[in-house]
Amino acid sequence: MRKRNNIVVGLTTINNEMLKISIPALAKLQQKFLLIVHNDNPMTTVSKRQIRKLGYCGDLQIINSTETLGELKARFEIIKLAKTFKPEWIVFCNDDDLLIDLEIPEVSDDTFAIIQNAIVLHHNVGNLLKVMENPKDFDVDGENVTLLRPNIGVCGTPIRSKILFELAKILPDVEDGMKKLEEKLDFYPPINSIMWNYVNTYAHHISKDYVPIYMDKINYIKNALNNTRMKYGRLAFPARNADDQYRRVVSKYNDLLKEALSLAAAPRG
């Protein structure tokens, strides 16, 4: 029998050594949750023993992919597995970030997401080592440690699972379009923003009453120390005008979802 967990934390990894950052932080959380790890590196195997050695002793499921899917599809594989456990909320975390609080307040049924704040670490690896030891040991100086208020995106944001479960059913209808868009890009698409827009678009498609709420508290630490040029075989960032290019890409991805929703709602016959 499957135990029901009210919260699922979905963690995607491809460079498995980064789990040494994210897993110990999850082990420190006071709230009960189910951790689902999706290993998107077919050349490696992540085991339960490996996760336990990093300090996490809670409920755990691991997906070891036989091919590299990319972040977006990997997260939807997590969503598919999470559905069998019937959680109320799903929170995503990157393998090199720290989720430091998982409190879910009492909210109305019309609340589809709980937006909070994040700390972003730049330049100094010493700050990363400090928060890995104690997640509250940071000083926002505006340069090495900055405050992202609010933190907009799916990482660190509790999202109603029923929105994600229904959204997962639509994904096959947009996969071909996404593949064509990706083939035209010379940089890795901003998956965090794309998925967040998908969640918002689908929530408002279901009901105009659905809204996110904002809690003015820090629950996530983003690691911006890794300035690698490449990600999943592409440039990690646009070579120029990054903000403008990201906005255009997110809009194009969102148009694919809107078209799929429009076709699904159209009368047949």
Side-chain angles (χ1 to χ4, degrees):
M1 295 182 63
R2 297 187 183 277
K3 293 194 299 182
R4 187 178 188 277
N5 286 267
N6 192 47
I7 307 170
V8 163
V9 173
L11 191 153
T12 55
T13 180
I14 188 167
N15 297 316
N16 302 158
E17 63 273 13
M18 295 300 181
L19 294 173
K20 295 176 183 178
I21 298 174
S22 53
I23 297 298
L26 294 174
K28 292 182 175 72
L29 293 176
Q30 299 300 312
Q31 299 89 351
K32 180 178 174 59
F33 62 94
L34 165 65
L35 172 62
I36 300 180
V37 177
H38 185 285
N39 175 26
D40 207 27
N41 186 345
M43 304 301 292
T44 66
T45 298
V46 174
S47 67
K48 287 190 175 182
R49 182 180 181 185
Q50 178 182 351
I51 301 301
R52 299 302 187 204
K53 288 180 69 175
L54 292 172
Y56 178 75
C57 298
D59 295 335
L60 175 64
Q61 294 287 318
I62 298 174
I63 305 169
N64 282 297
S65 183
T66 57
E67 60 178 323
T68 300
L69 300 179
E71 276 183 291
L72 187 63
K73 289 184 180 179
R75 286 178 183 162
F76 276 96
E77 288 299 309
I78 289 173
I79 292 168
K80 290 178 188 177
L81 179 56
K83 189 175 182 179
T84 66
F85 296 91
K86 301 178 181 178
E88 188 174 356
W89 300 92
I90 297 178
V91 186
F92 292 101
C93 181
N94 289 330
D95 60 358
D96 59 348
D97 293 340
L98 294 84
L99 181 63
I100 61 172
D101 192 284
L102 204 53
E103 178 187 1
I104 305 292
E106 292 291 333
V107 295
S108 73
D109 291 340
D110 293 332
T111 300
F112 73 85
I114 304 170
I115 300 170
Q116 297 167 72
N117 303 328
I119 291 296
V120 186
L121 306 180
H122 312 266
H123 313 305
N124 189 347
V125 70
N127 289 319
L128 175 60
L129 296 175
K130 286 199 297 183
V131 296
M132 287 175 64
E133 181 70 24
N134 177 3
K136 296 182 179 180
D137 188 9
F138 58 80
D139 179 25
V140 178
D141 60 12
E143 180 181 0
N144 296 307
V145 181
T146 58
L147 175 63
L148 194 58
R149 181 184 186 190
N151 172 31
I152 302 296
V154 295
C155 290
T157 301
I159 299 169
R160 287 274 186 195
S161 59
K162 61 183 178 181
I163 299 292
L164 294 171
F165 296 155
E166 292 302 312
L167 182 58
K169 296 178 182 179
I170 302 294
L171 189 66
D173 297 333
V174 299
E175 280 185 333
D176 287 344
M178 289 193 299
K179 184 177 179 180
K180 291 176 181 178
L181 281 178
E182 288 177 16
E183 289 173 349
K184 295 178 181 178
L185 296 177
D186 59 0
F187 59 88
Y188 190 73
I191 298 301
N192 190 40
S193 297
I194 290 168
M195 195 168 178
W196 174 246
N197 273 269
Y198 273 18
V199 169
N200 277 265
T201 297
Y202 192 76
H204 295 142
H205 172 76
I206 295 175
S207 172
K208 298 299 182 184
D209 294 329
Y210 267 133
V211 292
I213 65 166
Y214 170 64
M215 290 177 62
D216 190 9
K217 61 179 292 188
I218 296 166
N219 78 321
Y220 199 75
I221 298 178
K222 293 191 174 188
N223 175 13
L225 297 174
N226 188 5
N227 293 320
T228 178
R229 286 187 65 252
M230 306 299 292
K231 186 173 183 178
Y232 281 90
R234 298 172 181 266
L235 288 174
F237 309 99
R240 60 185 66 182
N241 302 323
D243 289 344
D244 289 341
Q245 293 204 56
Y246 280 154
R247 275 193 291 268
R248 286 196 292 268
V249 168
V250 169
S251 178
K252 289 178 180 178
Y253 271 82
N254 216 37
D255 287 343
L256 292 175
L257 178 61
K258 289 179 179 178
E259 182 180 0
L261 293 174
S262 178
L263 290 173
R268 301 180 183 273

